[in-house]
Amino acid sequence: MLYGIAETLKKNQLSITDSRKKILELFMRTNGALAHADIEHQSGTEFDRVTIYRTLQTFVEKGIIHTIPTADNSVRYALCKDQCSAGKHHDDHVHFMCDACGTTYCLDHVVVPAVVLPKGFTVTQTDVVISGTCKNCVQ
Amino acid sequence: MLYGIAETLKKNQLSITDSRKKILELFMRTNGALAHADIEHQSGTEFDRVTIYRTLQTFVEKGIIHTIPTADNSVRYALCKDQCSAGKHHDDHVHFMCDACGTTYCLDHVVVPAVVLPKGFTVTQTDVVISGTCKNCVQ
DNA sequence: AATATTTTGCAACAATGTTGCATTGCATTA
DNA sequence: TAATGCAATGCAACATTGTTGCAAAATATT
């Protein structure tokens, strides 16, 4: 992680509040992606559900985190790397979701191969979503 | 489309009912993918919401339709081609969702490039989700 | 046509997400 | 560092989406 918590919030012109610090910290401590429910549980009853929703929204808008499409259409969020900027997220991104444990990985070092589209289609974002068994769940 | 409506239902050992016929017909008439809401609107007040949910579930289980992961995590369904079988869906699939009109296309003829994963990861399904502007929305 | 099986609709509920508004907390400036 | 302005929070209420149990209706089977 290149920036600290307070630093990241300041850089994005966000007030430094307890909920934002805690939620951002949670993302920085977590290797994979988080669902809203994960955050709600892990932060206890400390914050209102609405605050968590709004915080996640804000983080997405600022390009601090991004949403991950999953095969089961559950909403998950993960920290963005540097190439993310507000509004415009990663153009290429491989995500892996384990069918067994549900952990979602950002495989940033895996190269997304170029896809050739029919004429008339313009690409703004390519997501590769892989489901399967992760290294911790293979026996 | 290779099979007719009644034929498809029979083949999958499903009773032929009004809701199933109507919903399957809707999918066959539609080029892109459908969200639950689309189906609810297009079939009017004819069927109960619950019936639509259950019909979609059944179709997914039988391999008649499949769900499509989208960048905005909305749930969409589309007809499966022949290679789909119950439980085991397409291994490779490119979907395109237009940011402008929301239409979701199954680009079956577009080849999904192989992705090399780190050791210990086993793949069961690869989805490529592309967002952008479709051929009807480019000016 | 009669019976067995499946599917449907209703009601109730659970989970997820959104909005408005008063209160609280943060940041700014003097 | 105290006072002020602005932004974020919590609460309540609501909207949407999805699920479950069960009696009634429709379909399939004999």
Side-chain angles (χ1 to χ4, degrees):
Chain A
M1 231 54 61
L2 284 169
Y3 293 96
I5 291 167
E7 211 174 346
T8 303
L9 294 174
K10 251 188 196 152
K11 216 163 54 90
N12 287 285
Q13 301 169 317
L14 294 173
S15 309
I16 297 173
T17 65
D18 286 352
S19 58
R20 285 176 182 165
K21 276 192 286 183
K22 197 100 173 206
I23 293 174
L24 185 50
E25 196 209 339
L26 199 57
F27 274 108
M28 287 180 168
R29 272 211 318 267
T30 308
N31 206 5
L34 294 169
H36 174 95
D38 297 330
I39 296 162
E40 206 170 333
H41 295 145
Q42 295 204 37
S43 65
T45 51
E46 204 170 343
F47 309 113
D48 195 85
R49 236 160 39 81
V50 178
T51 301
I52 298 176
Y53 277 115
R54 287 199 267 230
T55 302
L56 290 172
Q57 253 174 244
T58 306
F59 283 1
V60 169
E61 279 161 19
K62 293 293 185 177
I64 299 171
I65 61 176
H66 61 274
T67 62
I68 299 179
T70 57
D72 69 349
N73 281 287
S74 63
V75 183
R76 278 150 198 277
Y77 302 87
L79 270 187
C80 290
K81 311 299 179 200
D82 327 278
Q83 69 266 30
C84 281
S85 59
K88 168 81 172 166
H89 284 285
H90 306 210
D91 266 4
D92 40 14
H93 216 124
V94 174
H95 290 112
F96 184 96
M97 184 172 168
C98 180
D99 295 326
C101 64
T103 303
T104 306
Y105 301 82
C106 290
L107 303 176
D108 293 287
H109 52 290
V110 176
V111 179
V112 177
V115 175
V116 181
L117 289 182
K119 291 212 164 140
F121 288 82
T122 313
V123 179
T124 56
Q125 186 182 339
T126 302
D127 289 282
V128 178
V129 187
I130 300 178
S131 308
T133 313
C134 79
K135 58 180 193 292
N136 297 323
C137 293
V138 183
Q139 338 97 321
Chain B
M1 230 55 62
L2 285 170
Y3 294 96
I5 290 169
E7 211 174 344
T8 303
L9 293 175
K10 251 189 196 151
K11 216 164 54 93
N12 287 285
Q13 300 169 317
L14 294 173
S15 308
I16 297 173
T17 66
D18 285 353
S19 57
R20 285 177 182 163
K21 275 191 286 182
K22 196 100 174 207
I23 293 175
L24 185 50
E25 196 209 338
L26 200 57
F27 274 108
M28 287 180 170
R29 272 210 320 267
T30 308
N31 206 5
L34 294 169
H36 174 95
D38 297 329
I39 296 162
E40 207 171 333
H41 295 145
Q42 294 204 39
S43 65
T45 52
E46 204 170 343
F47 310 114
D48 195 85
R49 235 160 40 84
V50 178
T51 301
I52 298 176
Y53 276 115
R54 288 200 266 230
T55 303
L56 290 172
Q57 254 173 243
T58 305
F59 283 1
V60 169
E61 280 160 19
K62 294 292 186 177
I64 299 171
I65 61 176
H66 61 274
T67 63
I68 299 178
T70 57
D72 69 348
N73 281 288
S74 63
V75 183
R76 276 150 199 277
Y77 302 87
L79 269 188
C80 291
K81 310 299 178 200
D82 327 278
Q83 70 266 30
C84 281
S85 59
K88 169 81 172 166
H89 284 285
H90 305 211
D91 266 3
D92 41 16
H93 217 125
V94 174
H95 289 110
F96 183 95
M97 184 171 167
C98 180
D99 295 326
C101 64
T103 304
T104 305
Y105 301 83
C106 289
L107 303 176
D108 294 287
H109 52 291
V110 176
V111 178
V112 177
V115 176
V116 181
L117 289 182
K119 290 210 165 142
F121 288 81
T122 312
V123 179
T124 56
Q125 186 181 339
T126 303
D127 288 282
V128 178
V129 186
I130 301 178
S131 308
T133 313
C134 79
K135 58 181 192 294
N136 297 325
C137 293
V138 184
Q139 338 98 321

